[in-house]
């Protein structure tokens, strides 16, 4: 059973579909506080957390869990687009056990789960063939569709539609942050 702490609805759909395709049960906290509440009332084998979330960030969520759990140790894996060494160090400093870069791939997720859940062969379908890094975006979308399993085409279509609806507002927020030189927000 995996707890996912992720505030972005599209990212939630993708990671939940990937985890379901691997045979996992999944609960989702849409912000850090909601994830903490779920953790307090549930039993989880592993936590996947975004680092930048409202109310409690993934870093604050991890620090709080580490303070509460005592001798127990739930593996906590960061999911973030930030892949710089200082970002990884910040994850480790907060008490996270590992780091997955977004966008997630099924094979990396499967490998990470197997490592932290100490499984020699994680259940689920075999990984889809890897596409070279120089692939056109359409091929990456096709790979993602395949990794999402049954219903992948419908989910992918829904994700693209959601992105297209959210993109103009996100672009406006980026421009406003740039104009105000709000680098952290940007």
């Amino acid at each position: 059973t995996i707890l996912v702490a992720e505030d972005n609805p599209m990212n939630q759909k993708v990671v939940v579909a990937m985890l379901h395709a691997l045979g996992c049960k999944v609960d989702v906290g849409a912000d850090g506080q909601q994830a903490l509440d779920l953790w307090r009332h549930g039993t989880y084998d592993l936590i996947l957390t975004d680092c930048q979330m409202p109310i409690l960030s993934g870093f604050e969520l991890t620090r709080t869990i580490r303070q509460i759990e005592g001798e127990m140790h739930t593996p906590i894996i960061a999911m973030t687009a930030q892949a710089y060494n200082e970002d990884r160090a910040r994850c480790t400093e907060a008490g996270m056990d590992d780091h997955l870069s977004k966008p997630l791939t099924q094979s990396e997720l499967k490998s990470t789960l197997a490592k932290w859940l100490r499984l020699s062969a994680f259940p689920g379908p075999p990984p889809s063939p890897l596409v070279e890094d120089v692939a056109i975006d359409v091929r990456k979308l096709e790979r993602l569709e395949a990794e999402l399993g049954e219903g992948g085409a419908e989910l992918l279509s829904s994700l693209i539609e959601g992105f297209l609806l959210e993109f103009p507002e996100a672009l406006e927020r980026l421009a406003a942050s740039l104009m105000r030189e709000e680098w952290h927000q940007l």
Side-chain angles (χ1 to χ4, degrees):
T1 302
I2 309 295
L3 173 59
V4 173
E6 171 63 66
D7 62 317
N8 182 290
M10 289 191 297
N11 290 342
Q12 288 174 6
K13 288 179 183 179
V14 171
V15 73
V16 167
M18 287 181 168
L19 289 167
H20 283 164
L22 291 171
C24 298
K25 294 178 186 173
V26 184
D27 287 334
V28 177
D31 61 53
Q33 184 62 54
Q34 194 176 80
L36 182 60
D37 293 341
L38 286 166
W39 176 80
R40 283 184 168 144
H41 296 98
T43 302
Y44 298 97
D45 299 302
L46 185 136
I47 300 168
L48 293 169
T49 183
D50 183 29
C51 292
Q52 305 299 324
M53 291 184 294
I55 305 175
L56 280 179
S57 71
F59 303 110
E60 295 165 322
L61 171 65
T62 301
R63 284 187 197 100
T64 303
I65 289 172
R66 294 297 183 232
Q67 289 173 353
I68 295 170
E69 69 182 351
E71 291 190 25
M72 297 290 294
H73 186 88
T74 306
I76 301 177
I77 313 301
M79 298 183 300
T80 180
Q82 308 298 325
Y84 300 110
N85 287 337
E86 58 268 14
D87 297 309
R88 291 176 189 251
R90 191 170 172 210
C91 292
T92 302
E93 180 183 300
M96 295 177 189
D97 297 293
D98 209 340
H99 180 278
L100 282 169
S101 295
K102 291 179 182 176
L104 300 178
T105 66
Q106 186 80 356
S107 60
E108 290 170 330
L109 180 61
K110 181 177 180 178
S111 173
T112 300
L113 292 178
K115 172 184 173 183
W116 289 102
L117 299 176
R118 291 172 177 77
L119 302 170
S120 58
F122 200 82
S128 61
L130 295 177
V131 178
E132 293 183 45
D133 289 338
V134 296
I136 300 170
D137 288 344
V138 172
R139 294 187 62 197
K140 288 183 180 181
L141 291 174
E142 289 170 349
R143 183 177 78 191
L144 177 59
E145 181 182 333
E147 289 178 348
L148 293 174
E150 187 176 327
E154 293 82 18
L155 178 58
L156 188 58
S157 177
S158 170
L159 292 171
I160 291 170
E161 183 178 309
F163 172 78
L164 292 174
L165 289 172
E166 291 180 14
F167 181 73
E169 182 184 328
L171 192 57
E172 287 178 21
R173 288 194 317 266
L174 283 170
S177 294
L178 181 61
M179 296 289 282
R180 292 189 298 261
E181 296 183 356
E182 295 173 346
W183 308 121
H184 181 74
Q185 183 64 27
L186 184 64

